Amino acid sequence: MSESNREFDEVTGNGRGRRKWSAVLATIIVLLVLMLVFIFIWSSEPDPVDINAIEQSYTGEVPRGYVTVETTAQIVENLLNKSGGFLSNDIMPPSVFMDNMPAFEFGALVQIRDIAQVLRNDISRSQSQSLEDESLKFAEPAFNIDHRKWMFPRAEREYRKGVKLLREYRDRLADPQDSNTQFYARSDNLRSWLYLVSKRLGGLSQRLSASVGRSRINTDLANDASAEQSTPSSSIVTVTTPWMEVDDVFWEARGATWAQIQLLKAIEKDFAHVLEDKNARTSFQQIIMELEATQEPIWSPMILNGNEFGFFSNHSLVMSSYISRANAATIDLIDLLKGG
């Protein structure tokens, strides 16, 4: 082969190599852009349940408990059917790289588990020795499957099974011929659920406040002289949320409060006579109002974690302030419901 032909082959070979790598690079860039677009779209929060529409869709007088049970079912469906579907157990990109929306889903799912537990153990039973409802007996464990489970069984499949069981219970509530299926709207049953709500709100508030790391007095054994604990602990406790988890805690709290608002509005319908009798409707609505403030639009492209009085804002502390006030109002409401 002549020297000129050899030089020509080298030039054309280098040209083909550069074009190949350029095509690979362009493909990678396009895929990254598409992933960012999908991440942006799939990060959209689900729509809330229209409580009034549920009530208006029923012909005649709405059975006691119908709104609460149907609202619970629709919250689950909205999580499963939102943009991108249920993301917590996805193992493929781009959802595998997302953490905010899965945290939101988990926060909402915890509230579903709590209401399913109270429905099964308290609201559907007249007393401690009464039989539990067959549908609720299987609905509660269906919602308690690990939200990250993607196979054998898949989490979405179990959650849809739970929704189906809830609606079986709802339909039997609406059947005037079925006297064995009941929804007992009593103040003690409402307190059972509010106890769980208070614990969830208190825990979220503490975790959100820990975004800046604060030392506090250990009050675990306060107000009980005979109290003991399994292992000793320091009198001063410092709790700090890891920097990489601050936004996850924020979105978990946002998902939890998103679900709680809808459940509170539904409970207000079904326990209306209890709230009126205890003169507690205003207190109940105040809790809803405080939690609704947690759902205001976020104008920042990321969750900021500035110091308390620093130059940048701290979204976690703002969220914590609303949740703390809602928790305080919930505790007051529980005390009010204990009255005669």
Side-chain angles (χ1 to χ4, degrees), residues 186-206:
R186 302 192 310 249
S187 60
D188 59 331
N189 287 337
L190 179 55
R191 291 200 310 271
S192 296
W193 180 62
L194 289 174
Y195 279 128
L196 291 178
V197 170
S198 177
K199 289 180 182 295
R200 300 301 183 190
L201 290 175
L204 289 170
S205 177
Q206 287 291 330

Side-chain angles (χ1 to χ4, degrees), residues 14-315:
N14 291 338
R16 285 194 297 269
R18 283 195 295 270
R19 285 195 297 272
K20 181 176 71 174
W21 285 111
S22 297
V24 171
L25 182 60
T27 302
I28 293 174
I29 293 174
V30 170
L31 289 175
L32 289 175
V33 171
L34 287 174
M35 286 176 59
L36 290 174
V37 170
F38 278 111
I39 287 175
F40 178 78
I41 295 174
W42 290 356
S43 294
S44 301
E45 298 172 45
D47 295 328
V49 176
D50 189 341
I51 311 298
N52 292 325
I54 294 175
E55 193 174 34
Q56 294 167 4
S57 66
Y58 192 86
T59 304
E61 184 178 355
V62 182
R64 191 70 61 192
Y66 186 95
V67 177
T68 297
V69 177
E70 177 59 21
T71 297
T72 305
Q74 288 193 23
I75 291 174
V76 179
E77 287 184 330
N78 286 358
L79 286 175
L80 298 176
N81 300 330
K82 63 178 172 52
S83 177
F86 191 75
L87 303 176
S88 295
N89 61 348
D90 283 2
I91 59 172
M92 297 294 291
S95 50
V96 70
F97 301 119
M98 301 173 64
D99 57 357
N100 292 344
M101 187 48 60
F104 181 99
E105 293 170 348
F106 178 70
L109 186 60
V110 170
Q111 310 313 311
I112 297 299
R113 292 169 175 173
D114 286 348
I115 190 66
Q117 174 187 333
V118 174
L119 283 171
R120 176 187 179 183
N121 295 327
D122 299 285
I123 294 178
S124 65
R125 305 175 68 177
S126 61
Q127 53 188 346
S128 61
Q129 295 183 9
S130 58
L131 297 177
E132 59 185 345
D133 185 87
E134 284 297 313
S135 295
L136 296 177
K137 180 172 70 173
F138 295 103
E140 185 198 2
F143 292 127
N144 277 280
I145 189 174
D146 188 348
H147 65 294
R148 296 165 297 184
K149 198 169 182 62
W150 63 278
M151 188 177 290
F152 306 128
R154 190 173 174 85
E156 294 99 315
R157 177 184 174 186
E158 291 299 298
Y159 298 154
R160 293 189 191 279
K161 174 183 174 183
V163 168
K164 180 181 178 182
L165 292 167
L166 282 177
R167 289 199 166 123
E168 288 180 2
Y169 171 63
R170 178 208 64 185
D171 292 341
R172 284 188 280 109
L173 285 175
D175 184 0
Q177 305 300 321
D178 188 348
S179 60
N180 294 321
T181 303
Q182 298 292 341
F183 182 101
Y184 295 101
R186 302 192 310 249
S187 60
D188 59 331
N189 287 337
L190 179 55
R191 291 200 310 271
S192 296
W193 180 62
L194 289 174
Y195 279 128
L196 291 178
V197 170
S198 177
K199 289 180 182 295
R200 300 301 183 190
L201 290 175
L204 289 170
S205 177
Q206 287 291 330
R207 293 170 62 199
L208 288 164
S209 299
S211 63
V212 293
R214 299 288 293 179
S215 297
R216 63 177 179 85
I217 302 295
N218 189 338
T219 59
D220 294 344
L221 300 181
N223 304 322
D224 190 344
S226 61
E228 297 180 350
Q229 60 187 49
S230 56
T231 56
S233 56
S234 174
S235 59
I236 303 294
V237 180
T238 301
V239 182
T240 305
T241 302
W243 182 77
M244 291 295 291
E245 298 177 12
V246 167
D247 60 332
D248 295 340
V249 174
F250 176 90
W251 283 103
E252 180 183 338
R254 191 168 170 96
T257 52
W258 172 83
Q260 278 182 349
I261 292 168
Q262 299 166 77
L263 291 172
L264 283 163
K265 290 180 177 179
I267 289 287
E268 184 182 10
K269 299 282 187 182
D270 287 322
F271 285 81
H273 69 291
V274 174
L275 297 175
E276 291 293 344
D277 180 63
K278 301 291 185 179
N279 196 24
R281 183 180 290 276
T282 302
S283 300
F284 202 86
Q285 292 174 341
Q286 180 62 35
I287 299 172
I288 296 175
M289 184 176 293
E290 294 290 357
L291 292 179
E292 284 180 333
T294 66
Q295 303 302 303
E296 290 294 321
I298 302 172
W299 300 108
S300 172
M302 61 185 297
I303 302 303
L304 299 179
N305 190 42
N307 293 326
E308 297 98 318
F309 301 103
F311 183 77
F312 293 101
S313 63
N314 187 304
H315 291 118

